[in-house]
Amino acid sequence: MSNTQLAEVAKILGVSEDSISAMDNEIKNSMTAVFEQVAVKNDEDKKAVFEALDNLWQKGSIYIELAEVAKSTGITIETLRSLDYETQQTIVYEFIMDSSQTARFEIVNNT
């Protein structure tokens, strides 16, 4: 992802460039692909680009937090990333709500 694309994504989403830079390469490459695949000609195209980028930004944010869950719980990031997206979201939200109770994630580690 070029600096120009990074700035454009941040502008479209209304987030900082740093929040995009922190994403892993898979997410950033997917964001770049959105620009390459969609020619913005009207408001409908703009909406489609925004929705695609926003979905990727949310997924990338979950991945960042999953790394924190992995550090705190000892569950490998590979295990956490292999879970379905809804489960990943639930784990991240639970972790953010109370990161002192990491023992409740032990069930994930045992499966």
Side-chain angles (χ1 to χ4, degrees):
M1 172 175 274
S2 71
N3 288 337
T4 304
Q5 290 169 325
L6 176 73
E8 185 67 18
V9 169
K11 180 181 173 187
I12 290 169
L13 294 174
V15 299
S16 72
E17 290 181 29
D18 289 342
S19 73
I20 307 285
S21 294
M23 306 270 163
D24 67 21
N25 287 334
E26 172 191 343
I27 297 295
K28 290 188 282 191
N29 291 339
S30 295
M31 288 178 169
T32 300
V34 169
F35 281 113
E36 293 171 352
Q37 295 172 356
V38 180
V40 177
K41 297 176 185 169
N42 54 42
D43 287 341
E44 191 174 305
D45 294 340
K46 286 180 187 178
K47 182 180 178 186
V49 167
F50 173 81
E51 288 175 357
L53 292 174
D54 187 55
N55 286 338
L56 289 166
W57 184 79
Q58 289 180 39
K59 185 176 182 179
S61 296
I62 293 294
Y63 285 179
I64 289 169
E65 291 302 323
L66 283 177
E68 291 300 315
V69 171
K71 278 195 272 187
S72 295
T73 64
I75 301 169
T76 67
I77 190 67
E78 292 79 14
T79 298
L80 293 170
R81 296 275 296 267
S82 71
L83 300 169
D84 65 88
Y85 186 64
E86 186 176 319
T87 302
Q88 291 173 348
Q89 286 178 311
T90 300
I91 288 170
V92 166
Y93 296 146
E94 290 289 327
F95 181 77
I96 289 172
M97 288 176 49
D98 185 3
S99 62
S100 67
Q101 300 295 321
T102 58
R104 69 177 176 259
F105 297 115
E106 195 64 35
I107 190 165
V108 175
N109 205 17
N110 291 331
T111 42

